[in-house]
Amino acid sequence: MVDDVTKTRSDRARSLDDWAEQVNSGDLKVVDTRALRTIAELADRRDEVDDAITAAVLAARQADRSWSEIGTMLGVSKQAAQQKYSAAVTVMTHRTTRPARRRG
């Protein structure tokens, strides 16, 4: 059971395909899976959206926008915005502002 929980969606899809090759089609019943497919598609896009929001928050902070303003745009309190994004903004800022190493 633990293995099922730790598998990625692609691993589970592969396992389902393997199972489908072995099952007798007479044992299957037709079901509507549109809602489940929509959930999977949205979950795939969620990471992209989260990355884009983090980049936008970084840009806003670099433009001296306050956590209150950012929180308002996200529909959350300034504390919630700061709690969720401050560590990522710090890491991203450090990456983009770190001086180049001298070689020699």
Side-chain angles (χ1 to χ4, degrees):
M1 178 68 174
V2 173
D3 289 337
D4 291 339
V5 174
T6 59
K7 288 183 180 180
T8 64
R9 268 194 306 276
S10 61
D11 290 337
R12 288 190 301 268
R14 227 179 347 271
S15 294
L16 183 59
D17 286 340
D18 292 344
W19 170 83
E21 292 296 322
Q22 300 172 19
V23 73
N24 180 348
S25 61
D27 293 337
L28 300 176
K29 64 180 178 178
V30 177
V31 294
D32 184 357
T33 61
R34 286 178 290 187
L36 294 175
R37 286 192 308 249
T38 299
I39 291 169
E41 291 167 8
L42 291 171
D44 288 340
R45 293 185 354 217
R46 178 180 42 211
D47 289 339
E48 295 171 19
V49 171
D50 286 344
D51 290 345
I53 290 172
T54 300
V57 169
L58 172 62
R61 292 297 295 157
Q62 289 175 332
D64 294 323
R65 303 316 304 213
S66 71
W67 284 111
S68 291
E69 293 171 306
I70 293 166
T72 298
M73 295 300 103
L74 292 169
V76 300
S77 70
K78 73 177 185 179
Q79 292 88 352
Q82 194 171 16
Q83 184 176 11
K84 181 166 184 174
Y85 294 102
S86 65
V89 167
T90 300
V91 168
M92 291 174 79
T93 301
H94 180 68
R95 284 185 194 159
T96 59
T97 60
R98 185 175 13 181
R101 288 186 178 179
R102 292 185 183 177
R103 296 182 185 226

